[in-house]
mmCIF file of all heavy atoms in Angstrom:
data_model
loop_
_atom_site.group_PDB
_atom_site.id
_atom_site.type_symbol
_atom_site.label_atom_id
_atom_site.label_comp_id
_atom_site.label_asym_id
_atom_site.label_seq_id
_atom_site.Cartn_x
_atom_site.Cartn_y
_atom_site.Cartn_z
ATOM 1 N N MET A 1 4.824 -38.558 9.843
ATOM 2 C CA MET A 1 3.823 -39.477 9.555
ATOM 3 C C MET A 1 3.614 -39.688 8.017
ATOM 4 O O MET A 1 4.161 -38.844 7.281
ATOM 5 C CB MET A 1 2.462 -39.038 10.159
ATOM 6 C CG MET A 1 1.624 -40.180 10.532
ATOM 7 S SD MET A 1 0.378 -39.700 11.749
ATOM 8 C CE MET A 1 -0.287 -38.247 11.075
ATOM 9 N N ALA A 2 3.011 -40.758 7.591
ATOM 10 C CA ALA A 2 2.916 -41.036 6.209
ATOM 11 C C ALA A 2 1.756 -42.015 5.890
ATOM 12 O O ALA A 2 1.167 -42.434 6.915
ATOM 13 C CB ALA A 2 4.199 -41.687 5.692
ATOM 14 N N TYR A 3 1.516 -42.352 4.754
ATOM 15 C CA TYR A 3 0.540 -43.343 4.393
ATOM 16 C C TYR A 3 1.268 -44.682 4.276
ATOM 17 O O TYR A 3 2.528 -44.679 4.011
ATOM 18 C CB TYR A 3 -0.173 -43.080 3.027
ATOM 19 C CG TYR A 3 -1.403 -42.201 3.234
ATOM 20 C CD1 TYR A 3 -1.248 -40.817 3.585
ATOM 21 C CD2 TYR A 3 -2.606 -42.656 2.977
ATOM 22 C CE1 TYR A 3 -2.315 -39.996 3.729
ATOM 23 C CE2 TYR A 3 -3.735 -41.825 3.086
ATOM 24 C CZ TYR A 3 -3.558 -40.483 3.494
ATOM 25 O OH TYR A 3 -4.620 -39.686 3.579
ATOM 26 N N LYS A 4 0.631 -45.774 4.444
ATOM 27 C CA LYS A 4 1.136 -47.078 4.203
ATOM 28 C C LYS A 4 0.126 -47.910 3.411
ATOM 29 O O LYS A 4 -1.048 -47.585 3.439
ATOM 30 C CB LYS A 4 1.492 -47.755 5.589
ATOM 31 C CG LYS A 4 0.165 -48.121 6.373
ATOM 32 C CD LYS A 4 0.529 -48.832 7.710
ATOM 33 C CE LYS A 4 -0.740 -49.106 8.488
ATOM 34 N NZ LYS A 4 -0.435 -49.714 9.802
ATOM 35 N N ILE A 5 0.605 -48.962 2.830
ATOM 36 C CA ILE A 5 -0.267 -49.845 2.047
ATOM 37 C C ILE A 5 -0.472 -51.235 2.811
ATOM 38 O O ILE A 5 0.471 -51.825 3.143
ATOM 39 C CB ILE A 5 0.300 -50.061 0.625
ATOM 40 C CG1 ILE A 5 0.318 -48.642 -0.086
ATOM 41 C CG2 ILE A 5 -0.513 -51.136 -0.155
ATOM 42 C CD1 ILE A 5 0.911 -48.748 -1.431
ATOM 43 N N THR A 6 -1.756 -51.510 2.955
ATOM 44 C CA THR A 6 -2.104 -52.783 3.729
ATOM 45 C C THR A 6 -2.013 -53.996 2.769
ATOM 46 O O THR A 6 -1.818 -53.843 1.607
ATOM 47 C CB THR A 6 -3.493 -52.675 4.357
ATOM 48 O OG1 THR A 6 -4.439 -52.738 3.264
ATOM 49 C CG2 THR A 6 -3.641 -51.495 5.180
ATOM 50 N N ASP A 7 -2.130 -55.168 3.349
ATOM 51 C CA ASP A 7 -2.112 -56.381 2.633
ATOM 52 C C ASP A 7 -3.265 -56.588 1.671
ATOM 53 O O ASP A 7 -3.347 -57.535 0.874
ATOM 54 C CB ASP A 7 -2.124 -57.632 3.606
ATOM 55 C CG ASP A 7 -0.797 -57.668 4.285
ATOM 56 O OD1 ASP A 7 0.203 -56.989 3.888
ATOM 57 O OD2 ASP A 7 -0.755 -58.429 5.367
ATOM 58 N N ASP A 8 -4.321 -55.645 1.714
ATOM 59 C CA ASP A 8 -5.375 -55.669 0.761
ATOM 60 C C ASP A 8 -4.964 -55.310 -0.675
ATOM 61 O O ASP A 8 -5.678 -55.610 -1.638
ATOM 62 C CB ASP A 8 -6.489 -54.693 1.212
ATOM 63 C CG ASP A 8 -7.170 -55.124 2.510
ATOM 64 O OD1 ASP A 8 -7.169 -56.258 2.852
ATOM 65 O OD2 ASP A 8 -7.768 -54.131 3.085
ATOM 66 N N CYS A 9 -3.820 -54.821 -0.802
ATOM 67 C CA CYS A 9 -3.247 -54.432 -2.130
ATOM 68 C C CYS A 9 -3.328 -55.578 -3.160
ATOM 69 O O CYS A 9 -2.852 -56.618 -2.862
ATOM 70 C CB CYS A 9 -1.854 -53.843 -1.977
ATOM 71 S SG CYS A 9 -1.042 -53.489 -3.582
ATOM 72 N N ILE A 10 -3.817 -55.267 -4.314
ATOM 73 C CA ILE A 10 -3.883 -56.294 -5.360
ATOM 74 C C ILE A 10 -2.847 -55.947 -6.508
ATOM 75 O O ILE A 10 -2.898 -56.548 -7.557
ATOM 76 C CB ILE A 10 -5.345 -56.411 -5.957
ATOM 77 C CG1 ILE A 10 -5.766 -55.038 -6.545
ATOM 78 C CG2 ILE A 10 -6.290 -56.937 -4.949
ATOM 79 C CD1 ILE A 10 -7.077 -55.089 -7.294
ATOM 80 N N LYS A 11 -1.946 -55.018 -6.229
ATOM 81 C CA LYS A 11 -0.846 -54.710 -7.082
ATOM 82 C C LYS A 11 -1.275 -54.207 -8.451
ATOM 83 O O LYS A 11 -0.748 -54.647 -9.501
ATOM 84 C CB LYS A 11 0.160 -55.961 -7.284
ATOM 85 C CG LYS A 11 0.845 -56.298 -5.962
ATOM 86 C CD LYS A 11 1.776 -57.442 -6.088
ATOM 87 C CE LYS A 11 3.127 -56.925 -6.635
ATOM 88 N NZ LYS A 11 4.135 -58.019 -6.607
ATOM 89 N N CYS A 12 -2.247 -53.368 -8.494
ATOM 90 C CA CYS A 12 -2.771 -52.826 -9.791
ATOM 91 C C CYS A 12 -1.833 -51.735 -10.338
ATOM 92 O O CYS A 12 -1.807 -51.392 -11.537
ATOM 93 C CB CYS A 12 -4.193 -52.330 -9.662
ATOM 94 S SG CYS A 12 -4.353 -50.818 -8.762
ATOM 95 N N GLY A 13 -1.169 -51.034 -9.402
ATOM 96 C CA GLY A 13 -0.166 -50.037 -9.759
ATOM 97 C C GLY A 13 -0.727 -48.610 -9.965
ATOM 98 O O GLY A 13 -0.048 -47.719 -10.246
ATOM 99 N N ALA A 14 -2.013 -48.374 -9.805
ATOM 100 C CA ALA A 14 -2.684 -47.174 -10.012
ATOM 101 C C ALA A 14 -2.124 -46.072 -9.074
ATOM 102 O O ALA A 14 -1.882 -44.909 -9.374
ATOM 103 C CB ALA A 14 -4.159 -47.253 -9.797
ATOM 104 N N CYS A 15 -1.869 -46.433 -7.852
ATOM 105 C CA CYS A 15 -1.383 -45.429 -6.791
ATOM 106 C C CYS A 15 0.042 -44.938 -7.139
ATOM 107 O O CYS A 15 0.244 -43.763 -7.150
ATOM 108 C CB CYS A 15 -1.339 -46.110 -5.413
ATOM 109 S SG CYS A 15 -0.336 -47.572 -5.339
ATOM 110 N N ALA A 16 0.876 -45.882 -7.650
ATOM 111 C CA ALA A 16 2.230 -45.382 -7.944
ATOM 112 C C ALA A 16 2.184 -44.375 -9.154
ATOM 113 O O ALA A 16 2.971 -43.419 -9.140
ATOM 114 C CB ALA A 16 3.045 -46.593 -8.385
ATOM 115 N N GLU A 17 1.355 -44.609 -10.109
ATOM 116 C CA GLU A 17 1.188 -43.682 -11.295
ATOM 117 C C GLU A 17 0.731 -42.358 -10.782
ATOM 118 O O GLU A 17 1.138 -41.337 -11.379
ATOM 119 C CB GLU A 17 0.217 -44.233 -12.267
ATOM 120 C CG GLU A 17 0.667 -45.621 -12.791
ATOM 121 C CD GLU A 17 0.509 -45.628 -14.372
ATOM 122 O OE1 GLU A 17 -0.136 -44.775 -14.944
ATOM 123 O OE2 GLU A 17 1.173 -46.498 -14.935
ATOM 124 N N GLY A 18 -0.062 -42.321 -9.734
ATOM 125 C CA GLY A 18 -0.780 -40.976 -9.339
ATOM 126 C C GLY A 18 0.015 -40.282 -8.204
ATOM 127 O O GLY A 18 -0.318 -39.090 -7.950
ATOM 128 N N CYS A 19 0.924 -40.898 -7.608
ATOM 129 C CA CYS A 19 1.701 -40.238 -6.519
ATOM 130 C C CYS A 19 2.571 -39.046 -7.017
ATOM 131 O O CYS A 19 3.399 -39.261 -7.881
ATOM 132 C CB CYS A 19 2.562 -41.279 -5.787
ATOM 133 S SG CYS A 19 3.564 -40.479 -4.444
ATOM 134 N N PRO A 20 2.254 -37.861 -6.504
ATOM 135 C CA PRO A 20 2.978 -36.631 -7.019
ATOM 136 C C PRO A 20 4.454 -36.632 -6.674
ATOM 137 O O PRO A 20 5.246 -35.898 -7.341
ATOM 138 C CB PRO A 20 2.222 -35.499 -6.356
ATOM 139 C CG PRO A 20 1.664 -36.099 -5.094
ATOM 140 C CD PRO A 20 1.290 -37.499 -5.426
ATOM 141 N N VAL A 21 4.889 -37.413 -5.687
ATOM 142 C CA VAL A 21 6.347 -37.438 -5.400
ATOM 143 C C VAL A 21 7.014 -38.688 -5.663
ATOM 144 O O VAL A 21 8.166 -38.994 -5.314
ATOM 145 C CB VAL A 21 6.508 -37.011 -3.837
ATOM 146 C CG1 VAL A 21 6.082 -35.590 -3.593
ATOM 147 C CG2 VAL A 21 5.763 -38.012 -2.905
ATOM 148 N N GLU A 22 6.177 -39.552 -6.372
ATOM 149 C CA GLU A 22 6.753 -40.853 -6.862
ATOM 150 C C GLU A 22 7.430 -41.648 -5.769
ATOM 151 O O GLU A 22 8.567 -42.200 -6.011
ATOM 152 C CB GLU A 22 7.670 -40.595 -8.065
ATOM 153 C CG GLU A 22 7.003 -39.939 -9.195
ATOM 154 C CD GLU A 22 7.947 -39.772 -10.430
ATOM 155 O OE1 GLU A 22 9.170 -40.129 -10.341
ATOM 156 O OE2 GLU A 22 7.443 -39.289 -11.437
ATOM 157 N N CYS A 23 6.723 -41.778 -4.636
ATOM 158 C CA CYS A 23 7.384 -42.532 -3.482
ATOM 159 C C CYS A 23 6.788 -43.961 -3.293
ATOM 160 O O CYS A 23 6.995 -44.577 -2.349
ATOM 161 C CB CYS A 23 7.321 -41.713 -2.243
ATOM 162 S SG CYS A 23 5.632 -41.581 -1.480
ATOM 163 N N ILE A 24 5.991 -44.368 -4.309
ATOM 164 C CA ILE A 24 5.358 -45.642 -4.233
ATOM 165 C C ILE A 24 6.016 -46.575 -5.285
ATOM 166 O O ILE A 24 6.163 -46.258 -6.419
ATOM 167 C CB ILE A 24 3.794 -45.653 -4.511
ATOM 168 C CG1 ILE A 24 3.150 -44.583 -3.604
ATOM 169 C CG2 ILE A 24 3.260 -47.048 -4.329
ATOM 170 C CD1 ILE A 24 1.682 -44.485 -3.865
ATOM 171 N N SER A 25 6.437 -47.807 -4.783
ATOM 172 C CA SER A 25 7.142 -48.751 -5.686
ATOM 173 C C SER A 25 6.563 -50.113 -5.463
ATOM 174 O O SER A 25 5.895 -50.383 -4.426
ATOM 175 C CB SER A 25 8.638 -48.726 -5.457
ATOM 176 O OG SER A 25 8.914 -49.085 -4.142
ATOM 177 N N GLU A 26 6.874 -51.041 -6.398
ATOM 178 C CA GLU A 26 6.296 -52.329 -6.281
ATOM 179 C C GLU A 26 7.191 -53.191 -5.419
ATOM 180 O O GLU A 26 8.435 -53.366 -5.620
ATOM 181 C CB GLU A 26 6.248 -53.065 -7.752
ATOM 182 C CG GLU A 26 5.627 -54.351 -7.737
ATOM 183 C CD GLU A 26 5.418 -54.869 -9.162
ATOM 184 O OE1 GLU A 26 5.705 -54.154 -10.105
ATOM 185 O OE2 GLU A 26 4.879 -56.070 -9.269
ATOM 186 N N GLY A 27 6.557 -53.863 -4.507
ATOM 187 C CA GLY A 27 7.276 -54.736 -3.580
ATOM 188 C C GLY A 27 7.053 -56.189 -3.911
ATOM 189 O O GLY A 27 6.420 -56.463 -4.955
ATOM 190 N N ASP A 28 7.427 -57.114 -3.092
ATOM 191 C CA ASP A 28 7.209 -58.483 -3.336
ATOM 192 C C ASP A 28 5.733 -58.943 -3.350
ATOM 193 O O ASP A 28 5.342 -59.576 -4.279
ATOM 194 C CB ASP A 28 7.947 -59.354 -2.265
ATOM 195 C CG ASP A 28 9.498 -59.269 -2.492
ATOM 196 O OD1 ASP A 28 9.866 -58.938 -3.631
ATOM 197 O OD2 ASP A 28 10.257 -59.562 -1.584
ATOM 198 N N ASP A 29 5.077 -58.556 -2.339
ATOM 199 C CA ASP A 29 3.666 -59.046 -2.122
ATOM 200 C C ASP A 29 2.607 -57.858 -2.336
ATOM 201 O O ASP A 29 1.413 -58.145 -2.554
ATOM 202 C CB ASP A 29 3.421 -59.653 -0.743
ATOM 203 C CG ASP A 29 4.331 -60.715 -0.429
ATOM 204 O OD1 ASP A 29 4.544 -61.593 -1.388
ATOM 205 O OD2 ASP A 29 4.772 -60.857 0.647
ATOM 206 N N LYS A 30 3.083 -56.662 -2.337
ATOM 207 C CA LYS A 30 2.247 -55.506 -2.482
ATOM 208 C C LYS A 30 3.076 -54.302 -2.917
ATOM 209 O O LYS A 30 4.246 -54.316 -2.851
ATOM 210 C CB LYS A 30 1.531 -55.245 -1.181
ATOM 211 C CG LYS A 30 2.406 -54.921 -0.002
ATOM 212 C CD LYS A 30 1.579 -54.800 1.269
ATOM 213 C CE LYS A 30 2.546 -54.559 2.430
ATOM 214 N NZ LYS A 30 1.870 -54.436 3.706
ATOM 215 N N PHE A 31 2.376 -53.189 -3.241
ATOM 216 C CA PHE A 31 3.088 -52.003 -3.491
ATOM 217 C C PHE A 31 3.459 -51.405 -2.135
ATOM 218 O O PHE A 31 2.711 -51.574 -1.135
ATOM 219 C CB PHE A 31 2.291 -51.000 -4.319
ATOM 220 C CG PHE A 31 2.465 -51.210 -5.766
ATOM 221 C CD1 PHE A 31 2.151 -52.440 -6.343
ATOM 222 C CD2 PHE A 31 3.011 -50.259 -6.615
ATOM 223 C CE1 PHE A 31 2.293 -52.697 -7.673
ATOM 224 C CE2 PHE A 31 3.210 -50.529 -7.984
ATOM 225 C CZ PHE A 31 2.839 -51.708 -8.554
ATOM 226 N N VAL A 32 4.591 -50.625 -2.035
ATOM 227 C CA VAL A 32 4.998 -50.082 -0.764
ATOM 228 C C VAL A 32 5.249 -48.536 -0.927
ATOM 229 O O VAL A 32 5.680 -48.062 -1.940
ATOM 230 C CB VAL A 32 6.307 -50.744 -0.253
ATOM 231 C CG1 VAL A 32 5.948 -52.156 0.175
ATOM 232 C CG2 VAL A 32 7.381 -50.709 -1.280
ATOM 233 N N ILE A 33 5.092 -47.831 0.173
ATOM 234 C CA ILE A 33 5.301 -46.340 0.223
ATOM 235 C C ILE A 33 6.555 -46.009 1.016
ATOM 236 O O ILE A 33 6.732 -46.651 2.074
ATOM 237 C CB ILE A 33 4.064 -45.658 0.969
ATOM 238 C CG1 ILE A 33 2.840 -45.830 0.017
ATOM 239 C CG2 ILE A 33 4.428 -44.186 1.191
ATOM 240 C CD1 ILE A 33 1.515 -45.333 0.731
ATOM 241 N N ASN A 34 7.379 -45.218 0.463
ATOM 242 C CA ASN A 34 8.577 -44.738 1.247
ATOM 243 C C ASN A 34 8.048 -43.601 2.130
ATOM 244 O O ASN A 34 7.739 -42.539 1.756
ATOM 245 C CB ASN A 34 9.613 -44.182 0.162
ATOM 246 C CG ASN A 34 10.861 -43.672 0.952
ATOM 247 O OD1 ASN A 34 10.768 -43.413 2.183
ATOM 248 N ND2 ASN A 34 11.972 -43.538 0.230
ATOM 249 N N PRO A 35 8.105 -43.884 3.417
ATOM 250 C CA PRO A 35 7.481 -43.015 4.400
ATOM 251 C C PRO A 35 8.283 -41.650 4.490
ATOM 252 O O PRO A 35 7.740 -40.702 4.966
ATOM 253 C CB PRO A 35 7.456 -43.779 5.777
ATOM 254 C CG PRO A 35 8.561 -44.831 5.589
ATOM 255 C CD PRO A 35 8.553 -45.141 4.163
ATOM 256 N N ASP A 36 9.587 -41.717 4.097
ATOM 257 C CA ASP A 36 10.414 -40.458 4.213
ATOM 258 C C ASP A 36 10.058 -39.460 3.130
ATOM 259 O O ASP A 36 10.341 -38.336 3.276
ATOM 260 C CB ASP A 36 11.883 -40.898 4.191
ATOM 261 C CG ASP A 36 12.302 -41.738 5.339
ATOM 262 O OD1 ASP A 36 11.699 -41.590 6.430
ATOM 263 O OD2 ASP A 36 13.290 -42.585 5.139
ATOM 264 N N GLU A 37 9.452 -40.005 2.095
ATOM 265 C CA GLU A 37 9.084 -39.074 0.967
ATOM 266 C C GLU A 37 7.588 -38.745 0.834
ATOM 267 O O GLU A 37 7.218 -37.764 0.246
ATOM 268 C CB GLU A 37 9.571 -39.702 -0.339
ATOM 269 C CG GLU A 37 11.073 -39.819 -0.470
ATOM 270 C CD GLU A 37 11.574 -40.500 -1.737
ATOM 271 O OE1 GLU A 37 10.732 -40.560 -2.648
ATOM 272 O OE2 GLU A 37 12.718 -40.947 -1.732
ATOM 273 N N CYS A 38 6.751 -39.555 1.416
ATOM 274 C CA CYS A 38 5.281 -39.274 1.390
ATOM 275 C C CYS A 38 4.901 -37.957 2.009
ATOM 276 O O CYS A 38 5.377 -37.700 3.074
ATOM 277 C CB CYS A 38 4.531 -40.455 2.161
ATOM 278 S SG CYS A 38 2.802 -40.237 2.250
ATOM 279 N N ILE A 39 4.124 -37.220 1.222
ATOM 280 C CA ILE A 39 3.658 -35.889 1.806
ATOM 281 C C ILE A 39 2.187 -35.878 2.262
ATOM 282 O O ILE A 39 1.629 -34.875 2.488
ATOM 283 C CB ILE A 39 3.878 -34.822 0.675
ATOM 284 C CG1 ILE A 39 3.050 -35.201 -0.631
ATOM 285 C CG2 ILE A 39 5.315 -34.590 0.368
ATOM 286 C CD1 ILE A 39 2.982 -34.083 -1.654
ATOM 287 N N GLU A 40 1.672 -37.158 2.387
ATOM 288 C CA GLU A 40 0.317 -37.299 2.893
ATOM 289 C C GLU A 40 -0.746 -36.567 2.150
ATOM 290 O O GLU A 40 -1.657 -36.019 2.676
ATOM 291 C CB GLU A 40 0.289 -36.798 4.354
ATOM 292 C CG GLU A 40 0.971 -37.711 5.348
ATOM 293 C CD GLU A 40 0.801 -37.207 6.831
ATOM 294 O OE1 GLU A 40 -0.403 -37.125 7.164
ATOM 295 O OE2 GLU A 40 1.773 -36.929 7.491
ATOM 296 N N CYS A 41 -0.637 -36.594 0.829
ATOM 297 C CA CYS A 41 -1.588 -35.874 0.033
ATOM 298 C C CYS A 41 -2.910 -36.649 -0.110
ATOM 299 O O CYS A 41 -3.977 -36.049 -0.374
ATOM 300 C CB CYS A 41 -1.067 -35.681 -1.398
ATOM 301 S SG CYS A 41 -0.895 -37.118 -2.355
ATOM 302 N N GLY A 42 -2.894 -37.967 0.095
ATOM 303 C CA GLY A 42 -4.118 -38.867 0.071
ATOM 304 C C GLY A 42 -4.474 -39.307 -1.268
ATOM 305 O O GLY A 42 -5.495 -40.021 -1.495
ATOM 306 N N ALA A 43 -3.718 -38.914 -2.348
ATOM 307 C CA ALA A 43 -4.051 -39.358 -3.691
ATOM 308 C C ALA A 43 -4.088 -40.866 -3.842
ATOM 309 O O ALA A 43 -5.004 -41.389 -4.541
ATOM 310 C CB ALA A 43 -3.112 -38.767 -4.699
ATOM 311 N N CYS A 44 -3.232 -41.511 -3.213
ATOM 312 C CA CYS A 44 -3.186 -42.995 -3.415
ATOM 313 C C CYS A 44 -4.487 -43.635 -2.826
ATOM 314 O O CYS A 44 -4.983 -44.503 -3.432
ATOM 315 C CB CYS A 44 -1.932 -43.567 -2.734
ATOM 316 S SG CYS A 44 -1.691 -43.021 -1.037
ATOM 317 N N ALA A 45 -4.915 -43.129 -1.662
ATOM 318 C CA ALA A 45 -6.086 -43.638 -1.003
ATOM 319 C C ALA A 45 -7.324 -43.370 -1.907
ATOM 320 O O ALA A 45 -8.249 -44.199 -1.995
ATOM 321 C CB ALA A 45 -6.239 -43.062 0.372
ATOM 322 N N ASP A 46 -7.324 -42.173 -2.515
ATOM 323 C CA ASP A 46 -8.514 -41.926 -3.415
ATOM 324 C C ASP A 46 -8.546 -42.667 -4.621
ATOM 325 O O ASP A 46 -9.543 -43.048 -5.241
ATOM 326 C CB ASP A 46 -8.446 -40.387 -3.797
ATOM 327 C CG ASP A 46 -8.712 -39.474 -2.620
ATOM 328 O OD1 ASP A 46 -9.291 -39.956 -1.630
ATOM 329 O OD2 ASP A 46 -8.367 -38.274 -2.692
ATOM 330 N N THR A 47 -7.321 -43.076 -5.160
ATOM 331 C CA THR A 47 -7.228 -43.816 -6.413
ATOM 332 C C THR A 47 -7.417 -45.316 -6.217
ATOM 333 O O THR A 47 -7.952 -45.968 -7.142
ATOM 334 C CB THR A 47 -5.824 -43.591 -6.980
ATOM 335 O OG1 THR A 47 -5.584 -42.210 -7.158
ATOM 336 C CG2 THR A 47 -5.637 -44.265 -8.328
ATOM 337 N N CYS A 48 -6.986 -45.815 -5.152
ATOM 338 C CA CYS A 48 -7.011 -47.284 -4.973
ATOM 339 C C CYS A 48 -8.381 -47.934 -5.002
ATOM 340 O O CYS A 48 -9.262 -47.459 -4.323
ATOM 341 C CB CYS A 48 -6.342 -47.620 -3.647
ATOM 342 S SG CYS A 48 -6.262 -49.411 -3.345
ATOM 343 N N PRO A 49 -8.558 -48.985 -5.865
ATOM 344 C CA PRO A 49 -9.887 -49.702 -5.961
ATOM 345 C C PRO A 49 -10.234 -50.464 -4.719
ATOM 346 O O PRO A 49 -11.377 -50.815 -4.548
ATOM 347 C CB PRO A 49 -9.709 -50.512 -7.216
ATOM 348 C CG PRO A 49 -8.220 -50.814 -7.237
ATOM 349 C CD PRO A 49 -7.554 -49.566 -6.786
ATOM 350 N N VAL A 50 -9.315 -50.760 -3.911
ATOM 351 C CA VAL A 50 -9.615 -51.617 -2.717
ATOM 352 C C VAL A 50 -9.310 -51.009 -1.363
ATOM 353 O O VAL A 50 -9.401 -51.621 -0.378
ATOM 354 C CB VAL A 50 -8.844 -52.993 -2.796
ATOM 355 C CG1 VAL A 50 -9.285 -53.812 -4.023
ATOM 356 C CG2 VAL A 50 -7.315 -52.779 -2.805
ATOM 357 N N GLY A 51 -8.982 -49.733 -1.405
ATOM 358 C CA GLY A 51 -8.780 -48.954 -0.163
ATOM 359 C C GLY A 51 -7.621 -49.400 0.635
ATOM 360 O O GLY A 51 -7.534 -49.368 1.860
ATOM 361 N N ALA A 52 -6.529 -49.817 -0.078
ATOM 362 C CA ALA A 52 -5.439 -50.416 0.646
ATOM 363 C C ALA A 52 -4.509 -49.324 1.310
ATOM 364 O O ALA A 52 -3.986 -49.631 2.410
ATOM 365 C CB ALA A 52 -4.494 -51.231 -0.257
ATOM 366 N N PRO A 53 -4.306 -48.101 0.735
ATOM 367 C CA PRO A 53 -3.492 -47.134 1.385
ATOM 368 C C PRO A 53 -4.220 -46.471 2.607
ATOM 369 O O PRO A 53 -5.374 -45.981 2.386
ATOM 370 C CB PRO A 53 -3.138 -46.056 0.303
ATOM 371 C CG PRO A 53 -3.585 -46.775 -1.005
ATOM 372 C CD PRO A 53 -4.659 -47.743 -0.613
ATOM 373 N N VAL A 54 -3.590 -46.470 3.724
ATOM 374 C CA VAL A 54 -4.224 -45.914 4.927
ATOM 375 C C VAL A 54 -3.182 -45.048 5.591
ATOM 376 O O VAL A 54 -1.974 -45.184 5.459
ATOM 377 C CB VAL A 54 -4.731 -46.952 5.870
ATOM 378 C CG1 VAL A 54 -5.869 -47.701 5.259
ATOM 379 C CG2 VAL A 54 -3.649 -47.844 6.331
ATOM 380 N N LYS A 55 -3.741 -44.059 6.360
ATOM 381 C CA LYS A 55 -2.743 -43.267 7.135
ATOM 382 C C LYS A 55 -2.048 -44.119 8.277
ATOM 383 O O LYS A 55 -2.747 -44.890 8.958
ATOM 384 C CB LYS A 55 -3.483 -42.036 7.825
ATOM 385 C CG LYS A 55 -3.349 -40.798 7.150
ATOM 386 C CD LYS A 55 -3.875 -39.600 7.985
ATOM 387 C CE LYS A 55 -3.806 -38.335 7.197
ATOM 388 N NZ LYS A 55 -4.511 -37.248 7.817
ATOM 389 N N ASP A 56 -0.763 -44.021 8.301
ATOM 390 C CA ASP A 56 -0.010 -44.821 9.319
ATOM 391 C C ASP A 56 0.082 -43.951 10.579
ATOM 392 O O ASP A 56 0.952 -43.017 10.677
ATOM 393 C CB ASP A 56 1.372 -45.112 8.757
ATOM 394 C CG ASP A 56 2.089 -46.061 9.652
ATOM 395 O OD1 ASP A 56 1.555 -46.568 10.597
ATOM 396 O OD2 ASP A 56 3.281 -46.377 9.329
ATOM 397 N N GLU A 57 -0.730 -44.243 11.570
ATOM 398 C CA GLU A 57 -0.778 -43.498 12.795
ATOM 399 C C GLU A 57 -0.401 -44.244 14.002
ATOM 400 O O GLU A 57 -0.533 -45.488 14.057
ATOM 401 C CB GLU A 57 -2.160 -42.824 12.986
ATOM 402 C CG GLU A 57 -2.735 -42.159 11.794
ATOM 403 C CD GLU A 57 -3.939 -41.379 12.000
ATOM 404 O OE1 GLU A 57 -5.056 -41.917 11.899
ATOM 405 O OE2 GLU A 57 -3.793 -40.212 12.274
HETATM 406 FE FE1 SF4 B 101 2.199 -40.471 -2.577
HETATM 407 FE FE2 SF4 B 101 0.279 -38.842 -1.541
HETATM 408 FE FE3 SF4 B 101 -0.003 -41.534 -1.303
HETATM 409 FE FE4 SF4 B 101 1.913 -40.194 0.119
HETATM 410 S S1 SF4 B 101 -0.271 -39.963 0.325
HETATM 411 S S2 SF4 B 101 2.185 -42.139 -0.993
HETATM 412 S S3 SF4 B 101 2.503 -38.605 -1.334
HETATM 413 S S4 SF4 B 101 0.052 -40.361 -3.191
HETATM 414 FE FE1 SF4 B 102 -2.262 -51.679 -4.424
HETATM 415 FE FE2 SF4 B 102 -4.297 -49.922 -4.265
HETATM 416 FE FE3 SF4 B 102 -1.880 -49.202 -5.194
HETATM 417 FE FE4 SF4 B 102 -3.362 -50.779 -6.689
HETATM 418 S S1 SF4 B 102 -3.838 -48.617 -6.079
HETATM 419 S S2 SF4 B 102 -1.169 -51.067 -6.270
HETATM 420 S S3 SF4 B 102 -4.373 -52.066 -5.102
HETATM 421 S S4 SF4 B 102 -2.407 -49.917 -3.104
#
């Protein structure tokens, strides 16, 4: 399991800077999380101003 970023993302980049395993990168319409590297720490969800990162269940 991992976190994913919803379409609410406004591409501010804060989550990518704070991810401890650097598994967030900029995509075409939003930032995206590599689910194979995400350790589910939740830092991106805490940092995001619009609540876009959510647990992918
Ligand atoms: Fe990175 Fe943690 Fe967010 Fe996973 S939950 S993408 S490891 S900041
Ligand atoms: Fe998108 Fe939130 Fe990450 Fe900013 S912190 S790039 S709004 S997911």
